[in-house]
Amino acid sequence: MGNRAEQEHAPHRELLDAGWHTEWAPDGAPDDASGPDRIRQVAASGFAALAIPREFGGGGAGLVHVASAQRALGALDPSTAIALNMHSFTVGLMADYWQRHRDTSWMLLEGIAGTGALVASAFAEPGGSPNFMSSRSVAVETDKGYRVSGVKYPCSLASTATLVCLTARVEGTDETILALCPAASPGLTVEGDWPSLGMTGSDTAKLVFQDVELDDRLVFHRGPADVIDDTVISGMVWFSVLLGATYHGVLSALLDLAYRQVSASGQYGPRVALLGRATRELLTLGGACRQLGRDFEDGALAGRAALAAAIALRATLSDVRDRVMSALTPVVGSRLYTSGLPAARLLVDSLAAHHHPPSLLVCDQVVGDHCTGREISFDPAG
């Protein structure tokens, strides 16, 4: 990605980096290291425990500080960043859950910090349902907990995770559980790789659960299925802020390349305005990420208003990605379409911004539903 010191002192980075503060700093990874190896290297640097409260052995970082770390990693290694984003989101949700309930979930957080565990998010399921709250996986109650069967795909950290955070409907009830499952559990298998165009080092594959025994002590939430509660809201806020910050880092790295290319060539003219447009877009996205994160942490925004703001941010990320690429394409030129070049890799990696839940088909509908006083639904057919 070029000389990091030069990037940090560049005028455009003075704008884009303002307000992003993290005590964690990426050290980089060997170019020839595999995706799982890069993930493990970053996780071992203290990244994996950032969101866990200090009293449980973690870094004690809040939402905005974890987002700052995600952004820094996104600029350096998009695949690793998007994989670890799922860990950060899940652990952040658990930390927030403990802050609100002060229950025994602290033991799970302490265990994650003490063992250096990575946690995969097994929420997505085959078929690409636009209703991300709906789970087809089934949990059958047993004397000691549950027996879970189902398929989760695509799932990052598939082979590197120690624990898997999953959702499943409880058979015979209208409830869903949210639980941690040891990745080494009998009946849990990893199948294949996700044949994606970008983010190819994110260790993404299919997880198959076949009568996997789940101890009740690993279940940290059980509630009505498809109901928007505080856990859903918190999860969506954490996910949207961290996701926006991660891709802010990816797009900032591409903008770095564009600025260096123009400066080296000395060919300014209309390119200056295009660079300014791309910078302005990222400046706005970064401010929106930090503001939502701070408002949620401070309690200034809560409930369904916070959910609507999070959904709006997730959709805005996709819009900003496309506007940034539109501005930079004439500037960077054929480097964006030349195999093996950093600009081309960043272009393809950034496309993944469009394919995270909730579906873009429903994002504006959700915001409109909230603002007109209607019941929010994530199912466009509902």
Side-chain angles (χ1 to χ4, degrees):
M1 297 298 180
N3 186 289
R4 191 182 306 167
E6 290 179 1
Q7 293 173 14
E8 292 173 350
H9 291 91
H12 73 281
R13 291 301 292 267
E14 186 178 1
L15 288 177
L16 296 181
D17 293 348
W20 296 104
H21 302 294
T22 174
E23 296 177 0
W24 178 85
D27 295 326
D31 291 338
D32 58 351
S34 68
D37 284 344
R38 298 201 307 272
I39 290 169
R40 293 187 187 97
Q41 177 180 328
V42 173
S45 71
F47 190 98
L50 284 176
I52 297 176
R54 293 188 187 278
E55 57 260 52
F56 306 136
L63 175 52
V64 177
H65 280 81
V66 176
S68 296
Q70 280 289 155
R71 176 180 176 267
L73 184 57
L76 181 70
D77 188 340
S79 289
T80 299
I82 203 62
L84 288 173
N85 185 76
M86 307 314 296
H87 167 91
S88 296
F89 143 68
T90 305
V91 174
L93 169 61
M94 293 178 63
D96 182 79
Y97 188 89
W98 176 79
Q99 293 286 354
R100 285 185 287 109
H101 294 276
R102 299 288 170 161
D103 60 358
T104 56
S105 61
W106 68 267
M107 292 186 287
L108 300 177
L109 291 167
E110 188 175 67
I112 292 170
T115 60
L118 281 175
V119 185
S121 297
F123 299 155
E125 294 180 329
S129 171
N131 184 3
F132 76 101
M133 293 174 58
S134 179
S135 177
R136 301 185 187 93
S137 299
V138 177
V140 178
E141 292 189 75
T142 66
D143 292 340
K144 296 181 179 180
Y146 299 89
R147 187 169 58 251
V148 178
S149 295
V151 177
K152 301 293 186 176
Y153 178 79
C155 182
S156 297
L157 302 177
S159 70
T160 47
T162 309
L163 297 166
V164 175
C165 184
L166 61 85
T167 54
R169 285 179 178 263
V170 180
E171 186 178 60
T173 74
D174 292 324
E175 293 187 313
T176 298
I177 60 169
L178 187 61
L180 296 180
C181 176
S185 297
L188 174 53
T189 57
V190 179
E191 296 185 1
D193 294 319
W194 185 33
S196 59
L197 296 177
M199 298 294 182
T200 55
S202 59
D203 188 24
T204 300
K206 179 188 296 183
L207 296 184
V208 179
F209 297 79
Q210 184 62 49
D211 293 330
V212 176
E213 297 292 338
L214 188 64
D215 193 300
D216 189 60
R217 291 172 294 181
L218 296 177
V219 178
F220 66 91
H221 179 68
R222 175 170 171 165
D226 301 331
V227 171
I228 299 173
D229 57 16
D230 287 344
T231 301
V232 171
I233 293 168
S234 173
M236 195 67 244
V237 171
W238 271 83
F239 180 72
S240 293
V241 171
L242 297 185
L243 191 72
T246 298
Y247 282 100
H248 192 278
V250 175
L251 294 170
S252 293
L254 182 56
L255 191 57
D256 290 339
L257 294 177
Y259 272 107
R260 288 204 305 273
Q261 180 179 322
V262 169
S263 296
S265 68
Q267 297 177 350
Y268 296 97
R271 293 175 177 83
V272 174
L274 292 172
L275 289 172
R277 183 186 305 169
T279 305
R280 169 171 57 82
E281 292 287 353
L282 286 182
L283 189 63
T284 302
L285 174 64
C289 286
R290 296 193 305 274
Q291 189 65 53
L292 175 55
R294 292 193 181 106
D295 285 348
F296 187 72
E297 287 185 297
D298 296 342
L301 194 61
R304 304 215 168 188
L307 178 66
I311 298 296
L313 178 61
R314 184 267 167 276
T316 296
L317 165 62
S318 283
D319 291 342
V320 168
R321 183 269 168 195
D322 285 350
R323 290 196 292 265
V324 168
M325 292 309 309
S326 177
L328 293 185
T329 296
V331 177
V332 180
S334 63
R335 290 175 174 82
L336 286 171
Y337 203 62
T338 303
S339 176
L341 291 186
R345 289 195 295 270
L346 289 168
L347 165 67
V348 177
D349 284 342
S350 70
L351 274 171
H354 298 320
H355 304 290
H356 297 280
S359 166
L360 290 172
L361 290 173
V362 302
C363 284
D364 289 341
Q365 181 70 40
V366 167
V367 177
D369 282 343
H370 171 73
C371 293
T372 54
R374 291 159 49 89
E375 187 68 25
I376 290 175
S377 173
F378 290 97
D379 188 351

